[in-house]
């Protein structure tokens, strides 16, 4: 049975970042990812510049893959009333198809071990983990990072409490050939949800929306839902009617929730969405995934190289750092999502923001941090 210092479960942004970070400091990890790269993922594909210097220091410069620089933010209400502001930090748009695969290619060059398999169970006993893989047997590890995203059967195995709550949202995404300014991220409200719009590499348009299942299930299918609900917002109607889909059919995922989660479960240290998911309308889940991976990687480097920390101290430090960095963002995200759930309230808020665009920048700042230093 192979044994590793660190096994990372899930090769999305958090997992890929953590394995690259650890390898930079000579800590060999095993990354287990159940899917192949490249693959499309339901995501708004806008990333705040908070993580740009760090990504570049890991060898990934998004602009060399055609990322579009995002400078402005446009918000519209169900009625089509809209307002515009600058993005205080700025950001970029790049598809997950390209971003995750680019990180994977860097990882391959560094000879980091990646297994394409599914982790089916994790047990902690006698200061060691034992992980069961669907096809490739069992591995042992000193530390396990749970970077397996927002919801997995592993959460049930680990008896995580948030799995008892409902997960009432679903999301739909596709790429299109269509018109939209190159440097604007749009967030367009419709009854029951919001739709993010931005240009990505190759000039394609990413259109991704999240909606409550209660609303969506009133319609027969995605086409009918878009026509009867999204089209009520004149921005969305105009964009979608004039765009040609580049996918055979849209991608859809369900069972999305924004419940609080335990950060560490039976010593498995969670990062990215597995630790907590911010509402996509804040547009920085990817930054949070990357930053939390950096946070825990820094602590693991300290643990293995300085040897001056116990497991308990490492876990305690991670909890403190994570909460300091993300708790207030998550709270703001929850408040915002509730505000926008009510048609009249969201209309009132957008009309207010129209007169005071500086307030939008303040709200964006509350859900984002300062750019983190490169390595
Ligand atoms: C509708 C929507 C729109 C969004 N828009 C934006 C946006 O515009 N900007 C932004 O910053 N964020 C956005 N987000 C959030 C962002 O997508 C996530 O925060 C980010 O993907 C989290 O990264 P992660 O690495 O934690 O998880 P993921 O990227 O989901 O990666 C988890 C990985 O784990 C693998 N995995 C799962 N279980 C196992 C297992 N048992 N064994 C092995 N592998 C496993 C999966 O295959 C997956 O590759 C959006 C999210 C949604 C739902």
């Amino acid at each position: 049975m192979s044994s590793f210092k660190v096994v990372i479960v899930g090769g999305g942004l958090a997992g890929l970042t953590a394995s690259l970070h650890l390898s930079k400091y000579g800590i060999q990890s095993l990354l287990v990812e159940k899917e192949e790269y490249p693959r499309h993922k339901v995501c708004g594909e806008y990333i705040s510049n908070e993580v740009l210097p760090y990504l570049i220091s890991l060898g990934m410069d998004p602009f060399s893959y055609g990322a579009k620089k995002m400078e402005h933010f446009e918000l519209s209400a169900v009625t089509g009333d809209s307002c515009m502001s600058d993005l205080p930090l700025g950001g970029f748009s790049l598809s997950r198809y390209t971003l995750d695969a680019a990180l994977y290619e860097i990882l391959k060059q560094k000879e980091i071990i990646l297994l394409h398999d599914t982790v089916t169970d994790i047990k902690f006993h006698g200061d060691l983990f034992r992980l069961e893989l669907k096809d490739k047997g069992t591995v042992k590890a000193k530390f396990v990072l749970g970077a397996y995203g927002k919801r997995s059967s592993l959460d049930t195995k680990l008896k995580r409490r948030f799995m008892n709550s409902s997960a009432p949202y679903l999301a739909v995404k596709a790429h299109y050939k269509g018109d939209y300014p190159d440097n604007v991220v749009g967030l367009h409200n419709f009854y029951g949800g919001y739709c993010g719009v931005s240009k990505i590499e190759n000039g394609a348009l990413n259109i991704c929306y999240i909606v409550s299942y209660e609303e969506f299930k009133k319609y027969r299918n995605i086409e009918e839902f878009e026509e009867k609900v999204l089209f009520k917002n004149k921005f969305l109607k105009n964009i979608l009617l004039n765009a040609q889909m580049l996918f055979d059919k849209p991608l859809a995922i369900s069972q999305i929730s924004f419940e609080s989660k335990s950060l560490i479960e039976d010593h498995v240290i969670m990062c990215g969405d597995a630790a907590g998911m911010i509402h996509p309308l804040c547009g920085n889940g990817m930054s949070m995934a990357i930053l939390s991976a950096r946070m825990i990687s820094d602590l693991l480097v300290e643990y293995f190289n300085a040897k001056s920390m116990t497991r308990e101290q490492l876990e305690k430090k991670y909890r403190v750092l994570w909460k300091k960095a993300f708790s207030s963002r998550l709270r703001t995200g929850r408040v915002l999502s509730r505000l926008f759930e009510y048609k009249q309230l969201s209309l009132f808020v957008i009309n207010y923001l129209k007169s005071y665009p500086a307030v939008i920048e303040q709200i964006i700042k509350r859900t984002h941090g300062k750019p983190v230093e490169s390595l």
Side-chain angles (χ1 to χ4, degrees):
M1 192 190 307
S2 312
S3 191
F4 296 86
K5 283 182 174 166
V6 184
V7 172
I8 301 165
V9 185
L13 289 179
L16 288 161
T17 311
S19 60
L20 282 172
H21 187 123
L22 291 173
S23 104
K24 212 160 172 139
Y25 289 90
I27 297 167
Q28 181 66 275
S29 62
L30 168 71
L31 178 60
V32 189
E33 165 57 44
K34 62 180 181 177
E35 295 192 6
E36 302 286 331
Y37 304 93
R39 79 277 185 265
H40 288 290
K41 209 166 164 71
V42 176
C43 183
E45 304 188 328
Y46 161 75
I47 311 184
S48 108
N49 274 345
E50 206 176 340
V51 290
L52 183 61
Y54 177 55
L55 275 180
I56 293 174
S57 69
L58 289 176
M60 163 68 200
D61 180 351
F63 295 103
S64 64
Y65 294 85
K68 297 270 185 235
K69 194 171 173 184
M70 294 292 137
E71 294 165 314
H72 309 290
F73 174 62
E74 182 176 45
L75 180 66
S76 77
V78 180
T79 48
D81 289 79
S82 71
C83 55
M84 190 96 166
S85 86
D86 289 340
L87 285 165
L89 258 188
F92 57 93
S93 280
L94 184 68
S95 72
R96 294 296 297 271
Y97 187 85
T98 299
L99 174 60
D100 293 34
L103 289 167
Y104 172 57
E105 286 306 318
I106 299 169
L107 191 140
K108 277 204 303 196
Q109 285 159 24
K110 307 225 176 284
E111 296 177 2
I112 296 169
I113 312 170
L114 184 140
L115 279 184
H116 282 292
D117 206 336
T118 302
V119 176
T120 54
D121 202 5
I122 309 172
K123 288 264 158 36
F124 182 75
H125 185 68
D127 206 36
L128 265 188
F129 288 94
R130 209 186 141 97
L131 295 97
E132 304 298 334
L133 310 188
K134 190 166 152 245
D135 299 320
K136 299 188 181 91
T138 306
V139 290
K140 278 195 208 162
K142 177 80 180 168
F143 285 95
V144 171
L145 300 190
Y148 51 75
K150 53 190 159 315
R151 201 176 182 91
S152 158
S153 54
L154 282 174
D155 290 317
T156 311
K157 279 268 163 67
L158 289 166
K159 300 192 176 67
R160 297 185 79 193
R161 257 219 315 247
F162 80 93
M163 291 296 274
N164 299 329
S165 310
S166 69
Y169 299 98
L170 68 88
V172 178
K173 163 250 181 77
H175 289 169
Y176 295 80
K177 184 170 181 281
D179 263 349
Y180 205 70
D182 265 15
N183 60 352
V184 175
V185 185
L187 191 65
H188 301 288
N189 200 198
F190 58 83
Y191 194 66
Y194 336 75
C195 179
V197 182
S198 65
K199 275 271 175 80
I200 48 166
E201 73 273 17
N202 303 329
L205 196 55
N206 182 40
I207 300 185
C208 177
Y209 57 85
I210 182 158
V211 52
S212 77
Y213 179 67
E214 276 304 303
E215 267 313 301
F216 184 83
K217 74 176 187 196
K218 295 178 186 161
Y219 304 88
R220 273 174 305 168
N221 51 36
I222 289 175
E223 289 73 31
E224 191 189 9
F225 177 72
E226 290 182 356
E227 209 184 303
K228 301 243 166 86
V229 181
L230 268 71
F231 282 18
K232 293 222 165 93
N233 179 322
K234 68 177 182 205
F235 283 88
L236 291 173
K237 184 175 182 183
N238 183 39
I239 295 164
L240 281 161
L241 277 182
N242 291 302
Q244 289 159 268
M245 199 191 294
L246 300 171
F247 289 2
D248 292 337
K249 57 180 175 102
L251 292 180
I253 53 168
S254 59
Q255 293 206 301
I256 303 171
S257 82
F258 305 101
E259 292 291 322
S260 303
K261 295 175 176 176
S262 48
L263 206 50
I264 298 171
E265 197 76 60
D266 200 16
H267 300 285
V268 177
I269 301 174
M270 306 294 171
C271 53
D273 282 358
M277 191 174 168
I278 190 159
H279 199 288
L281 83 86
C282 301
N284 68 344
M286 288 191 272
S287 291
M288 283 178 56
I290 292 168
L291 291 175
S292 60
R294 176 181 184 155
M295 218 175 254
I296 186 57
S297 302
D298 274 335
L299 290 173
L300 286 169
V301 170
E302 199 182 328
Y303 178 93
F304 284 113
N305 292 348
K307 301 204 186 309
S308 57
M309 229 196 290
T310 62
R311 181 188 295 279
E312 285 66 33
Q313 285 166 335
L314 178 142
E315 290 178 359
K316 193 172 166 198
K317 274 192 176 183
Y318 181 61
R319 274 185 220 279
V320 171
L321 288 173
W322 194 96
K323 284 192 178 143
K324 192 168 166 225
F326 304 128
S327 291
S328 118
R329 296 183 192 202
L330 288 167
R331 264 197 310 276
T332 309
R334 280 188 204 112
V335 171
L336 285 177
S337 69
R338 263 176 230 134
L339 269 183
F340 282 97
E341 255 165 40
Y342 301 100
K343 193 174 165 184
Q344 288 309 324
L345 196 54
S346 74
L347 186 58
F348 171 78
V349 172
I350 288 169
N351 274 324
Y352 172 79
L353 295 175
K354 226 160 120 177
S355 313
Y356 302 98
V359 177
I360 307 181
E361 292 183 37
Q362 287 308 318
I363 295 172
I364 296 174
K365 279 185 187 156
R366 284 190 73 90
T367 56
H368 291 66
K370 295 195 175 72
V372 285
E373 287 165 28
S374 47
L375 283 180

